Amino acid sequence: MNATAVAPAPAARRTGVELSVVVPFYNPGSALRRTVDRLVACLRDAGVAFEVIAVSDGSTDGSAATLTGLAEVTVIDNPVNQGKGAALHQGFAAANGAWIGFVDADGDIDPRHLVEYLMVARAGGHAVVYADKRHADSVSAASGFRKLVSISYSTLVTTLFGLDVRDTQTGCKIIRRDVLTGILPRLRERRFAFDLELFVAAKTAGITDLKSAPVRLEARVAGSTVTTSSIVRTIRDTFVIYGRRRADHYAAFALAA
């Protein structure tokens, strides 16, 4: 279906869904179906009551059609590319789970991690469980360039925001529903800086129970959406978020929450 609007917060829960998983995608080719098949199989094997919401961010490669007819999978097919963050906002608005997660569609992150993170979240009741490629037990097949970009960006984020989060950007996270519902209305980012803004808003709201977890990053099955222009834009958006924080955008929310 074609989505025309983005709701400001997750919709009212449908009874019985423990985990909603949003899969944002942009021209991932055949990797999308493999990722979603693997995700569904892992969640079924684990006995989790789940739903999958796959959101096309203006894909033109026909990948959305590969998910037609899959049980437990809802497809939101946007005609215009707006960015990963915009796709996540749409998926969150449709989500019903007590926990809401997301995972990249490009094939470098095994969706099995979401099952592992859900078990950690269940046991500890954590606000957020997130993939941390700098965790001692993480393994990465990313290129040297990607690793350099990641380390450089992490250093920038630490300098600007002082977050106790070593990796804001790896695309696999689980968030407790009440936490996401509380902070989502203040999130403005529509592209890759969405992940960073989520952590900044959470910290400003006094949410500190953020649990890092190991991740295994494989070589990408689909082509990377991380280009020079996207890196420059993410850095620019990072300074925009910094400006919002300096202007008490997130603090005003924290006081009203």
Side-chain angles (χ1 to χ4, degrees):
M1 66 180 177
N2 290 332
T4 58
V6 181
R13 272 181 71 186
R14 187 176 75 238
T15 305
V17 178
E18 180 178 19
L19 176 65
S20 299
V21 180
V22 179
V23 183
F25 64 94
Y26 176 68
N27 289 347
S30 59
L32 175 65
R33 178 61 186 255
R34 286 195 293 271
T35 296
V36 172
D37 279 345
R38 170 70 171 158
L39 173 61
V40 169
C42 290
L43 291 168
R44 284 178 178 166
D45 289 347
V48 175
F50 71 95
E51 63 181 357
V52 175
I53 303 165
V55 186
S56 170
D57 182 29
S59 293
T60 58
D61 63 352
S63 52
T66 67
L67 302 180
T68 300
L70 284 182
E72 298 146 327
V73 178
T74 298
V75 179
I76 300 175
D77 192 1
N78 291 297
V80 178
N81 177 266
Q82 300 179 70
K84 173 186 171 181
L88 287 172
H89 272 276
Q90 287 185 302
F92 294 157
N96 297 286
W99 299 91
I100 301 172
F102 61 92
V103 65
D104 288 348
D106 301 322
D108 58 340
I109 302 174
D110 189 340
R112 174 74 194 178
H113 284 309
L114 284 172
V115 176
E116 298 165 356
Y117 296 176
L118 178 61
M119 302 308 157
V120 173
R122 277 179 181 171
H126 303 293
V128 180
V129 179
Y130 65 96
D132 178 4
K133 56 182 169 288
R134 296 176 66 182
H135 192 286
D137 295 326
S138 290
V139 177
S140 176
S143 67
F145 173 71
R146 288 290 296 273
K147 290 178 180 178
L148 177 61
V149 169
S150 176
I151 292 172
S152 300
Y153 186 70
S154 177
T155 301
L156 173 65
V157 166
T158 298
T159 300
L160 291 178
F161 300 99
L163 296 177
D164 189 21
V165 176
R166 293 173 297 188
D167 180 5
T168 61
Q169 299 306 111
T170 299
C172 187
K173 298 175 177 68
I174 283 183
I175 309 160
R176 207 172 65 227
R177 183 181 186 82
D178 64 301
V179 171
L180 184 60
T181 300
I183 65 178
L184 192 59
R186 284 288 168 172
L187 304 187
R188 296 290 177 263
E189 290 305 311
R190 292 295 185 261
R191 294 190 181 273
F192 289 115
F194 173 89
D195 300 62
L196 168 63
E197 190 176 37
L198 185 150
F199 284 112
V200 172
K203 178 180 179 180
T204 307
I207 298 165
T208 58
D209 189 8
L210 311 174
K211 179 69 173 178
S212 71
V215 63
R216 184 180 184 90
L217 295 175
E218 306 288 353
R220 281 182 175 254
V221 175
S224 177
T225 54
V226 179
T227 62
T228 300
S229 62
S230 69
I231 292 170
V232 171
R233 179 160 188 158
T234 300
I235 293 172
R236 186 191 71 185
D237 292 345
T238 297
F239 281 99
V240 171
I241 294 169
Y242 179 72
R244 288 191 194 121
R245 194 189 69 164
R246 295 270 296 180
D248 288 336
H249 172 80
Y250 307 111
F253 157 70
L255 291 173

